[in-house]
Amino acid sequence: MNTSIIFDTAFKAFKEVRREWIQILHDNAAYINDSGEAVERPVAVINDPKVMDRLRHLQKEWELFYQIAESRRALKLMPLPPSFYSPMPIIAADGDLAGIIIRPAANTIKWHRDKVILTLQKKLTQHLRMRRTVESGMLPKSELAMINAAIAVYEADIERFEAMPEDTILVRRQSGYTDVIVKIKNEALQEEVTTLVGMFDGFIDIESTRVGAHGCVINGSRLKYEPIVENNAAGVRSNVYASIKPVPCALASSNVSFYFLDDVNQAKEKLRKEVDEARREVLRLRIRSGRTDSDRIAAEKKAFDAKRKRVPRITSKAIPKAKN
């Protein structure tokens, strides 16, 4: 049988699978990205076991098409953009509590010096072509000053980057994105809780997943607590780049910056040492405190070991689910 006919049949079936998956997630969404980005990344909480079974079936059908599509793409026979079927949709692990964390994010990628130069040369060529268009009378001469200024900047940048060592690696960082993270947690034992801090104190992670374009499903029937949605998208996320001076480059913009990879690595190493030192200081404080309270701690531990029962400390934000 013709492979194109087989693919067309599979694609027709997949379109219905994709449509139904997205529709169910939208109908049961606890969160949908509405920041203006093209990708919505819905997170749905499903309380109906029958709907969960249907979603598991749809996910398996999606995976089958994904494998077909990727095999054809490897042979350069795939007419579809990968974003139509990739990444695979997610069904999160079962747990006691689900946290949906929305936070600002950035995309970073390494650029060799030569790639920067090549991109600058392409921009320069475009502006040289625009200048010839102005000089031919096809564009108003009022544009000429701005075009010449841009040409001068591109030429200066090309010369500056060409003077850098040939093995220079830069990091291109583009901000303005939103990350959606689903954290699945279980209630913690008393001994596990003592080392935890933050909004999820009283719970321990069993899964943390970054949500892709086609969303994530949480099995609400297995949750003991109402899901927590923590939207920090408008906040400022701390990062090592705040302490690094960006490399001047005409390719930069309000949300795109370039950094030397060596500077990034040095900043990360400095941050790692600071974090390690902070942990050591906390440990020293605990040891000093422990010496004064050793008898009390030993007595409490002995009493706990005798009972060996779960004594979870629950964050005030975690609300137990109402029983049906």
Side-chain angles (χ1 to χ4, degrees), residues 220-260:
S221 66
R222 299 297 297 272
L223 298 177
K224 295 181 181 178
Y225 298 86
E226 294 293 339
I228 294 175
V229 179
E230 188 79 357
N231 196 334
N232 300 313
V236 178
R237 187 181 180 189
S238 60
N239 60 78
V240 297
Y241 295 91
S243 63
I244 310 173
K245 185 177 180 180
V247 179
C249 182
L251 301 176
S253 65
S254 60
N255 68 328
V256 174
S257 301
F258 289 84
Y259 304 86
F260 289 121

Side-chain angles (χ1 to χ4, degrees), residues 107-124:
N107 178 47
T108 58
I109 187 171
K110 294 177 183 178
W111 275 30
H112 189 275
R113 179 209 69 162
D114 291 352
K115 182 172 182 177
V116 177
I117 293 171
L118 180 61
T119 308
L120 287 167
Q121 288 173 337
K122 288 180 179 178
K123 292 285 187 180
L124 175 60

Side-chain angles (χ1 to χ4, degrees), residues 73-118:
R73 190 160 74 93
L75 298 173
K76 302 187 183 301
L77 298 174
M78 172 49 63
L80 293 174
S83 58
F84 189 76
Y85 60 86
S86 180
M88 283 280 299
I90 301 164
I91 296 179
D94 292 341
D96 297 335
L97 174 67
I100 305 167
I101 315 299
I102 302 96
R103 65 190 186 192
N107 178 47
T108 58
I109 187 171
K110 294 177 183 178
W111 275 30
H112 189 275
R113 179 209 69 162
D114 291 352
K115 182 172 182 177
V116 177
I117 293 171
L118 180 61

Side-chain angles (χ1 to χ4, degrees), residues 4-23:
S4 295
I5 296 176
I6 294 174
F7 176 76
D8 290 344
T9 302
F11 177 55
K12 183 178 180 180
F14 172 72
K15 285 194 294 183
E16 179 57 28
V17 167
R18 186 179 187 273
R19 184 205 63 77
E20 186 177 353
W21 174 277
I22 292 173
Q23 185 63 56

Side-chain angles (χ1 to χ4, degrees), residues 20-40:
E20 186 177 353
W21 174 277
I22 292 173
Q23 185 63 56
I24 294 175
L25 265 63
H26 275 241
D27 290 345
N28 298 274
Y31 171 79
I32 292 181
N33 177 37
D34 58 0
S35 64
E37 297 176 34
V39 180
E40 293 183 329

